[in-house]
Amino acid sequence: MKILVWLIGVAITAMSILVILKPQIARDLSERMNPRMFYFGAWARIVIGMIFLVISETRSWATLFNGLGILLVVVGAYALQSGYERTREFVLRVVHGNENVVRVAGAVGVLVGILLISAT
């Protein structure tokens, strides 16, 4: 389990760093998003949020882990509730908007990835 969490953290961190360096990657991924990728991403957010909630008791920054866990579960559940088309439209609006917003989202991804790595 620890190795899987570590690998997920490394993958999220690496992808987020790429998005910070080149926001065009986020545009390309969002334009290619299909329903399978959408549902995988939404459930991945929920699972990662649950991991944060489970390990928050054992970490010194329990409030941060609890907050991120709740946020990820809510975002994943909201995406599932909104549906593929509505969420895809929102994501496309965001990535075709201001590049700095995309970079900030990448920075949040780096934070989540590093926290997952530190959780192992």
Side-chain angles (χ1 to χ4, degrees):
M1 181 68 172
K2 285 186 177 187
I3 293 174
L4 181 62
V5 172
W6 185 83
L7 287 173
I8 292 170
V10 168
I12 290 172
T13 303
M15 190 63 185
S16 298
I17 289 172
L18 288 175
V19 166
I20 291 171
L21 296 175
K22 190 173 181 185
Q24 182 64 33
I25 293 172
R27 287 188 197 103
D28 293 342
L29 283 174
S30 62
E31 289 171 355
R32 292 181 185 153
M33 183 171 57
N34 58 32
R36 182 176 288 159
M37 287 173 57
F38 164 73
Y39 288 112
F40 176 79
W43 281 107
R45 286 182 194 97
I46 292 171
V47 168
I48 292 170
M50 296 298 281
I51 290 170
F52 278 157
L53 291 173
V54 168
I55 64 172
S56 68
E57 297 292 325
T58 63
R59 301 292 172 224
S60 59
W61 292 3
T63 306
L64 176 65
F65 279 95
N66 275 331
L68 280 174
I70 291 169
L71 179 69
L72 285 171
V73 169
V74 168
V75 167
Y78 181 74
L80 289 173
Q81 181 66 29
S82 296
Y84 167 70
E85 291 296 327
R86 191 169 170 191
T87 304
R88 186 172 191 267
E89 290 174 16
F90 173 74
V91 169
L92 288 174
R93 259 187 286 135
V94 169
V95 297
H96 288 294
N98 190 349
E99 279 190 2
N100 290 330
V101 173
V102 176
R103 287 190 169 119
V104 167
V108 170
V110 169
L111 172 69
V112 168
I114 289 173
L115 285 174
L116 279 172
I117 292 169
S118 74
T120 56

